[in-house]
Amino acid sequence: MNAPDKLPASPEPHVMKTYGRLPLALSHGRGCWLWDTHGKKYLDGLGGIAVNTLGHAHPKLVPALTDQIGKIIHSSNYYLVPLQEQLAAKLCELSGLTNVFFCSTGLEANEGALKIARKYGHDKGIDRPEIVVYEAAFHGRSIATLSATGNPKVQAGFGPLVEGFVRVPLNDSAAIEKVAATNKNVVAVFLEVIQGEGGIRPTTIEYLREVRRICDANGWLLMLDEVQCGMGRTGKWFAHQWAGIQPDVMPLAKGLGSGVPVGAIVCGPKAANVFGPGNHGTTFGGNPLAMRAGVETIRIMEEDGILENAATVGAALKAGLERELAGVQGVADIRGQGLMLGIELARPCGDILGLAAEAGLMLSVTADKVIRLVPPLILSADEAAQIVAILCPIIKTFLSQPAP
Ligand SMILES: *Cc1c(COP(=O)(O)O)cnc(C)c1O
């Protein structure tokens, strides 16, 4: 939206101004629909940024979480937490990995993964371990994870950055081969299977297999940040499963608790025993409410066939966008998998976020030019068709007007 000449007084004068927010507040939701405090209804194409896996007020999730809140919300990691073992065992079953550490957010899962990589290196006698990271990557906003992130805007003003990262371009096997040949301090490769904030940019299946091979040949950990693309979003539990490979370390968060904050570092045998007692911890991580949210999210996904839904409805949504936007000047690319889709325009399109909200559709714009759709995984085919019907005319009108 164009900035008005005089900005109205902020409706949130005491909230730190870290977000450019639309001037609306959501009061409640049901399924893939949201209502604001004025009663206006929206179709949810954003899912709280790939978080609300089961949409809003899911009829199976609400009673389960209500039951848990009535029993115990938080206990402490000083005691056994049976729901941690339950969720950990389930994540291991789904991923083929062996052990899990629970935390509360994506950056925290990634921060823990970076610590595992460094300690893995030290345990091998590498005093200055380095980690391969990627151009346009996003891993979070703590000092270490923003250092691993490949976006100067995220880093600006926060130097000195954490050292020990080697950056390479995505899907470029020669570049990582070169690192392997020349840098003996490397201990791990850290990447998103589909870059989210970077603009819905997938790694190719061939590249993932190649990186797995290079990691094995060099004794490196393969660490796949599935914070956004994991938990069923692409139509498999984890996006790397499309390539038939397994990581050594897999950070999860966003969709894992359907909106309740929960993160996890899922590890295979090479990484599972790197941390010992006292090496890592968190106060909130793994609390019974968060664990119940994870357990119930997965249970409901299995019961209701949500993976198949994400795959088929995602394919229909993509096909609908491709059909309606075919030949439209200024649409550069439509990409992604399952219900993680990006429409790249030839020019910056941040205004689309507000235009879509006005038309009753929630979405986001990332990497300046990419319209991102990461709706709840319960989206129906009819709702997907409605997204296409609302969004495509907005894009066409936007592109028909001259760039400012
Ligand atoms: C969102 C995101 C993060 C950060 O998660 P937070 O919960 O915001 O800390 C990290 N990695 C990826 C790939 C993400 O999409």
Side-chain angles (χ1 to χ4, degrees), residues 49-51 104-110 137-142 145 149 190 192 194-197 225-229 251 253-254 262 340 372:
I49 320 182
V51 166
S104 307
T105 68
L107 84 78
E108 218 187 329
N110 287 337
F138 181 83
H139 298 297
R141 290 169 177 279
S142 67
T145 58
T149 288
F190 187 35
E192 297 155 88
I194 301 176
Q195 291 186 334
E197 304 307 301
D225 179 348
E226 293 239 12
V227 167
Q228 189 162 156
C229 59
K254 289 201 166 86
V262 46
M340 182 171 184
R372 168 172 52 180

Side-chain angles (χ1 to χ4, degrees), residues 182-201:
T182 55
N183 188 332
K184 295 301 157 202
N185 285 330
V186 170
V187 294
V189 178
F190 187 35
L191 80 160
E192 297 155 88
V193 179
I194 301 176
Q195 291 186 334
E197 304 307 301
I200 315 293
R201 294 181 194 283

Side-chain angles (χ1 to χ4, degrees), residues 289-367:
L289 175 62
M291 296 300 95
R292 186 76 184 267
V295 166
E296 299 291 346
T297 295
I298 295 172
R299 179 183 66 82
I300 296 164
M301 289 177 76
E302 287 184 323
E303 259 178 34
D304 294 357
I306 298 300
L307 291 194
E308 300 76 62
N309 192 69
T312 57
V313 175
L317 178 54
K318 194 176 182 190
L321 295 168
E322 284 167 348
R323 186 186 67 237
E324 290 304 313
L325 296 173
V328 174
Q329 191 84 31
V331 175
D333 194 17
I334 299 171
R335 58 178 176 256
Q337 193 164 7
L339 286 170
M340 182 171 184
L341 299 175
I343 306 159
E344 178 165 348
L345 303 190
R347 61 170 154 106
C349 61
D351 288 356
I352 296 265
L353 188 143
L355 295 168
E358 271 168 41
L361 173 65
M362 294 313 194
L363 48 71
S364 81
V365 173
T366 189

Side-chain angles (χ1 to χ4, degrees), residues 82-140:
L83 281 163
Q84 274 188 26
E85 179 56 29
Q86 201 181 328
L87 182 55
K90 193 70 202 180
L91 289 172
C92 291
E93 176 199 320
L94 300 178
S95 64
L97 302 178
T98 59
N99 294 83
V100 185
F101 176 89
F102 289 108
C103 53
S104 307
T105 68
L107 84 78
E108 218 187 329
N110 287 337
E111 187 86 21
L114 296 173
K115 280 180 69 177
I116 288 174
R118 281 194 170 187
K119 183 149 186 304
Y120 173 80
H122 282 276
D123 290 350
K124 288 205 296 186
I126 296 174
D127 293 335
R128 299 190 61 78
E130 295 185 39
I131 298 167
V132 176
V133 292
Y134 286 78
E135 290 172 6
F138 181 83
H139 298 297

